[in-house]
Amino acid sequence: MAMQAPKGTKDLLPMDSYKWHYVENKFKELADEYGIREIRTPMFEHTELFTRGVGETTDVVQKEMYTFEDKGGRSVTLKPEGTAPAVRAFIESSLYNEAQPTKLYYFTPAFRYENVQKGRLRQFHQFGIEVFGSKEASIDAEGISLAMRAINELGLKDLSLNINSLGCPECRKKYNDALKQFLQENYEGLCGTCKSRFERNPMRILDCKEKKCKEITKNAPTILDYICDECKDHFEELKKYLQAMDIEYTVDPNIVRGLDYYTKTVFEIIYKDLTVCGGGRYDKLIEELGGPDMPAFGFAAGLERLIMTLDAEGLEIPNSSYIDLYVGAMGADAKIASLKLINNLRKKGVKCDCDHMNRSVKASMKYANKTNCRFTVILGDNELQLGTAKLKRMSDGEQFEVNLKDLDSIVELLK
Ligand code: HAM
């Protein structure tokens, strides 16, 4: 049997890699603009980081983690997300002693054992930012503005930004009590998963996709009626800052997010029913994981979902992966000359290649067409003797005579 990639994983094939570079470069370019620096954390961590960080009652921890024992008998987990590892690294390397806030970004694979469907994979990739050390809502607004701008500038214009506040642990306690009181009456009608959420994490019931649970929670009290003055002010400030930056939003009190660490701001960016980005504030996590009492904010965008959406919308993604010049060679001496030519042109920044398949002139042209080379030149005895050759522009077939020794004019022509 031919081997297949594990379910829920995808190869990135060479004909698609330019799309990834395009998306990654956009995020990187904006992160640089916002003064955010890169962090890379390991692919796996001690399992406890996620059980404590992401939360025991979440689906991620309960059902979706790739957890195994290593040969030393330690329980380790492939990272299901990038936030807890970034916090762990921040604490471990005492980055809290540096000037604050600490602004980090990352690209990371993430692993979740999920039901595979459109836009839902078991290994997927995220671009994320995490900002540590500031409780100001201006940080939330800046983070959201970066996410919106990046996704917008990729070409996806019809974005919905939904925001909510989950308050602080005190407001949450009051709200959970009220929610439980409301749900109590309909407890028997809830699905099995929501019944188990009732005691441990009732807010997650609001996020259940089951029809009967949705029906029950339709008129549930909303968290925004229970948040304290400080959390309310923070949310109002966020709205003011977003308005100042002309970022449109909808307040959606049903956003609860799937991870337990959030406090105050949460948000999601949706494109045609698909959540392409999500995040929020998590002011208690650094302390919970053994660091100082410091606030934090962050988000992550799913790269597969973004690329899938760009494809589905038929948006043109600039492809700069094509070769500028393909050099064919007729004979042994010409082959040496062709290697020399591409070697020298590459040093001048030209993307070029030569024939490694002993192709005829006709086959060379066919190959150059198929691989979208911009120009082609064939070297043979004649060209070597004269020291000149004809570069053919593949788009219209026009030919340009060049002096093979005058590399600069070849470079100029290829621009
Ligand atoms: P999340 O909402 O779990 O948040 O994931 C963020 C994004 O990753 C989602 O909006 C989605 O685009 C993508 N994503 C999630 N799961 C999958 C999957 N199975 N297949 C494909 N794409 C997926 C977090 O991970 C938080 N760490 C975000 C954050 C950073 N909050 C604060 N800082």
Side-chain angles (χ1 to χ4, degrees):
M1 192 187 80
M3 294 285 264
Q4 286 182 333
K7 187 171 171 193
T9 69
K10 272 196 176 146
D11 296 310
L12 169 57
L13 296 173
M15 51 286 240
D16 289 328
S17 52
Y18 73 95
K19 299 178 189 171
W20 283 75
H21 297 160
Y22 173 67
V23 172
E24 287 165 355
N25 286 342
K26 175 54 70 188
F27 279 115
K28 186 176 175 325
E29 181 191 307
L30 290 195
D32 283 346
E33 237 175 58
Y34 281 67
I36 306 176
R37 287 179 298 166
E38 187 179 10
I39 184 165
R40 296 184 193 186
T41 62
M43 214 54 69
F44 61 92
E45 296 272 357
H46 294 296
T47 300
E48 196 193 345
L49 175 68
F50 300 113
T51 46
R52 277 173 54 192
V54 172
E56 298 265 16
T57 62
T58 58
D59 283 355
V60 170
V61 168
Q62 286 202 331
K63 305 183 196 158
E64 296 171 1
M65 293 208 301
Y66 280 89
T67 297
F68 57 97
E69 233 179 53
D70 71 6
K71 291 193 193 308
R74 301 168 204 93
S75 177
V76 292
T77 294
L78 299 182
K79 56 176 152 176
E81 58 108 51
T83 307
V87 171
R88 197 260 315 130
F90 175 76
I91 300 168
E92 188 170 342
S93 296
S94 311
L95 297 183
Y96 46 79
N97 287 329
E98 309 283 317
Q100 299 303 324
T102 299
K103 301 203 229 172
L104 309 171
Y105 79 83
Y106 52 84
F107 290 100
T108 187
F111 306 86
R112 297 183 193 174
Y113 192 80
E114 301 218 55
N115 285 329
V116 177
Q117 46 185 281
K118 190 170 144 254
R120 198 170 285 283
L121 296 160
R122 291 185 175 164
Q123 177 180 338
F124 57 99
H125 297 77
Q126 293 182 332
F127 166 82
I129 71 159
E130 312 294 347
V131 181
F132 303 137
S134 170
K135 61 179 176 37
E136 294 297 314
S138 50
I139 283 290
D140 312 30
E142 283 247 88
I144 292 173
S145 84
L146 190 162
M148 288 293 281
R149 239 189 86 193
I151 301 171
N152 237 302
E153 287 181 14
L154 288 174
L156 302 174
K157 305 287 179 203
D158 248 348
L159 298 172
S160 316
L161 166 64
N162 296 340
I163 60 171
N164 190 20
S165 174
L166 297 183
C168 58
E170 287 80 59
C171 337
R172 193 93 60 92
K173 195 178 167 313
K174 277 192 215 143
Y175 176 62
N176 278 343
D177 289 345
L179 186 59
K180 275 164 71 180
Q181 210 173 349
F182 171 85
L183 293 170
Q184 188 80 58
E185 277 174 35
N186 294 300
Y187 179 82
E188 284 311 321
L190 294 171
C191 72
T193 315
C194 284
K195 278 186 182 143
S196 71
R197 286 169 173 156
F198 183 82
E199 279 305 330
R200 288 175 298 135
N201 198 349
M203 273 181 83
R204 295 279 311 134
I205 298 176
L206 299 177
D207 208 25
C208 184
K209 305 285 176 273
E210 292 274 339
K211 215 168 156 199
K212 54 182 180 177
C213 299
K214 275 189 162 170
E215 193 55 35
I216 292 172
T217 54
K218 213 168 55 187
N219 298 314
T222 72
I223 177 82
L224 292 177
D225 293 330
Y226 289 83
I227 59 177
C228 66
D229 286 347
E230 195 207 320
C231 292
K232 212 173 267 171
D233 289 348
H234 194 271
F235 197 44
E236 290 310 313
E237 268 174 37
L238 168 65
K239 291 192 224 166
K240 259 190 259 164
Y241 294 139
L242 290 176
Q243 280 156 20
M245 289 190 276
D246 293 323
I247 299 173
E248 283 181 26
Y249 59 82
T250 306
V251 175
D252 176 358
N254 283 326
I255 301 181
V256 294
R257 309 277 303 131
L259 313 161
D260 268 358
Y261 42 64
Y262 293 107
T263 52
K264 293 185 179 160
T265 310
V266 285
F267 77 98
E268 287 179 347
I269 300 175
I270 320 250
Y271 188 84
K272 294 192 179 165
D273 286 341
L274 192 66
T275 307
V276 288
C277 176
R281 188 160 270 288
Y282 49 99
D283 288 345
K284 301 288 167 201
L285 185 62
I286 298 177
E287 195 178 18
E288 271 162 24
L289 292 178
D293 177 9
M294 276 176 116
F297 171 89
F299 72 76
L303 301 184
E304 281 84 358
R305 287 193 188 179
L306 287 172
I307 290 163
M308 192 180 95
T309 310
L310 292 175
D311 276 344
E313 295 295 303
L315 289 165
E316 181 114 1
I317 301 178
N319 186 349
S320 57
S321 67
Y322 301 130
I323 288 290
D324 292 320
L325 178 66
Y326 171 80
V327 186
M330 299 297 121
D333 289 345
K335 174 118 187 200
I336 295 172
S338 73
L339 271 173
K340 206 165 146 181
L341 179 64
I342 61 167
N343 199 35
N344 289 332
L345 284 174
R346 283 176 185 153
K347 286 184 197 155
K348 291 184 175 286
V350 176
K351 292 194 278 184
C352 45
D353 206 354
C354 73
D355 173 41
H356 294 289
M357 305 296 285
N358 270 331
R359 288 192 172 93
S360 65
V361 175
K362 200 172 153 205
S364 283
M365 289 303 160
K366 218 168 153 185
Y367 172 79
N369 254 328
K370 211 169 164 182
T371 53
N372 282 323
C373 294
R374 292 177 51 233
F375 285 82
T376 310
V377 64
I378 307 290
L379 302 185
D381 291 343
N382 223 5
E383 283 74 17
L384 297 193
Q385 250 170 30
L386 296 171
T388 62
K390 286 197 173 116
L391 259 61
K392 181 172 174 185
R393 187 161 61 199
M394 300 306 284
S395 58
D396 56 5
E398 193 171 341
Q399 307 217 24
F400 304 85
E401 180 146 310
V402 295
N403 178 342
L404 289 169
K405 290 236 163 62
D406 186 0
L407 294 180
D408 288 336
S409 59
I410 299 180
V411 172
E412 199 54 38
L413 181 67
L414 292 173
K415 267 185 187 161

